[in-house]
Amino acid sequence: MKKDQLLTRRRVLAAGAAAACAAGTAGLLTLGGDPAAPVAPAPGAPARRVPMKPSAYRLQPLTGYGPPRTAPGRTPVRREPLLRVSGRGRTMVLTFDDGPDPRYTPDILDTLRDYDVRAMFFVCGEMAEANPDLLARMADEGHVVGNHTWSHPLLTRLGRARIRTEMERTCDIIEEAWGDRPEWFRAPYGAWNRAAFQLGAELGMEPLAWTVDTLDWTSPGARTITRRVENGAAPGVVVLSHDAGGDRSQSVRALREYLPQLLDDGYHITVPRRHHA
Ligand code: ZN
């Protein structure tokens, strides 16, 4: 655990530095400071989408900004994860990792619903398998579900076959419970490697990291989590929080504080889109 925490901290610093570098960059995507990384994938062919559980929200285009439309099989292999989204106006994205957890995720969903806001949930396959009803609720309420691997391993310690299994099984359970293949993935601990980027692209997913880490897993107190979000708020920012993996009651409470504040400040809280025009 200690090593993972160090790793997380290192990634926080790296992500912060890259985000600072990229802050002035115009364009649809902002990547970590690798100038050789592809910035705009070729416009995609019609997306392969087989909705199994259509809902009112999901039949409409999702509002929001993100990578250009791409299709599975044509997703670019990146060398860095995306760190933020950009677009017109004060757009921000809230993401919740490691769930769903029936102790915390319903409260988070309630708050999002109270404010009519959509968010992203990077779920673990084993949690999704145990709580398919929560993924169905996410679908019904218009939230985006991403792939956070099956069992939350450190991918950089695994061989390619294991990484593939971790990612593929999670895509399958998400499709079953949420209704679509995920279009986004996030490596546990923010520890990416080449195999993860390649396999993610093969599975039609874009790698999304974050701009602001609330470090809520250290239980710093709801007020501190709130302050971190409010201090980090800026157009294009992607916020990392957790709805599972420990006692997340602080994360639940903090959301109730910072969400109305962000909305009062004029932020449009949304989810990135890929396949909708
Ligand atoms: Zn995680």
Side-chain angles (χ1 to χ4, degrees):
M1 188 61 192
K2 222 170 202 172
K3 206 162 205 174
D4 295 344
Q5 291 176 358
L6 280 174
L7 223 161
T8 302
R9 244 176 244 132
R10 204 162 65 222
R11 294 298 308 183
V12 170
L13 293 172
C21 285
T25 308
L28 210 52
L29 295 182
T30 307
L31 293 142
D34 178 0
V39 170
R48 176 174 64 89
R49 283 176 79 83
V50 188
M52 293 167 60
K53 198 191 304 261
S55 71
Y57 279 121
R58 307 183 71 236
L59 293 172
Q60 297 162 4
L62 295 171
T63 52
Y65 306 96
R69 283 170 290 159
T70 55
R74 299 189 58 173
T75 302
V77 179
R78 300 193 183 278
R79 293 164 58 179
E80 297 280 343
L82 307 173
L83 298 175
R84 54 199 298 134
V85 297
S86 62
R88 287 153 301 184
R90 290 155 78 81
T91 298
M92 279 178 63
V93 174
L94 303 182
T95 68
F96 299 90
D97 285 14
D98 300 358
D101 184 323
R103 292 171 296 175
Y104 309 109
T105 309
D107 282 330
I108 287 174
L109 288 169
D110 287 349
T111 304
L112 296 170
R113 187 183 54 195
D114 288 347
Y115 291 95
D116 194 24
V117 158
R118 252 59 64 197
M120 297 181 85
F121 291 85
F122 284 90
V123 302
C124 289
E126 61 188 9
M127 301 296 283
E129 186 181 46
N131 301 287
D133 50 322
L134 287 173
L135 269 78
R137 180 174 169 191
M138 289 169 189
D140 288 342
E141 297 181 0
H143 301 294
V144 170
V145 173
N147 184 325
H148 198 42
T149 74
W150 188 267
S151 63
H152 208 273
L154 195 55
L155 296 181
T156 48
R157 286 191 192 146
L158 301 185
R160 175 176 281 264
R162 271 290 306 283
I163 297 176
R164 179 188 290 277
T165 305
E166 283 278 341
M167 294 175 81
E168 215 161 29
R169 283 181 77 195
T170 306
C171 284
D172 292 345
I173 194 77
I174 288 172
E175 181 171 24
E176 207 172 289
W178 181 58
D180 261 327
R181 306 289 286 179
E183 298 176 345
W184 305 89
F185 77 103
R186 178 175 283 168
Y189 314 103
W192 312 82
N193 61 11
R194 184 186 296 253
F197 289 126
Q198 288 171 344
L199 291 165
E202 264 177 45
L203 292 165
M205 299 184 291
E206 287 275 25
L208 183 64
W210 56 84
T211 326
V212 170
D213 189 346
T214 62
L215 297 171
D216 58 340
W217 56 274
T218 64
S219 300
R223 196 175 299 174
T224 299
I225 296 171
T226 298
R227 186 172 43 78
R228 284 176 181 152
V229 174
E230 290 177 0
N231 289 347
V237 158
V238 176
V239 176
L240 168 64
S241 306
H242 297 82
D243 59 334
D247 180 349
R248 297 293 173 247
S249 50
Q250 294 181 0
S251 312
V252 168
R253 282 206 306 279
L255 177 66
R256 289 194 206 116
E257 292 171 22
Y258 65 72
L259 181 54
Q261 189 59 52
L262 292 175
L263 294 171
D264 279 354
D265 290 344
Y267 282 101
H268 180 49
I269 310 299
T270 188
V271 288
R273 66 177 180 196
R274 285 187 58 198
H275 289 169
H276 295 279

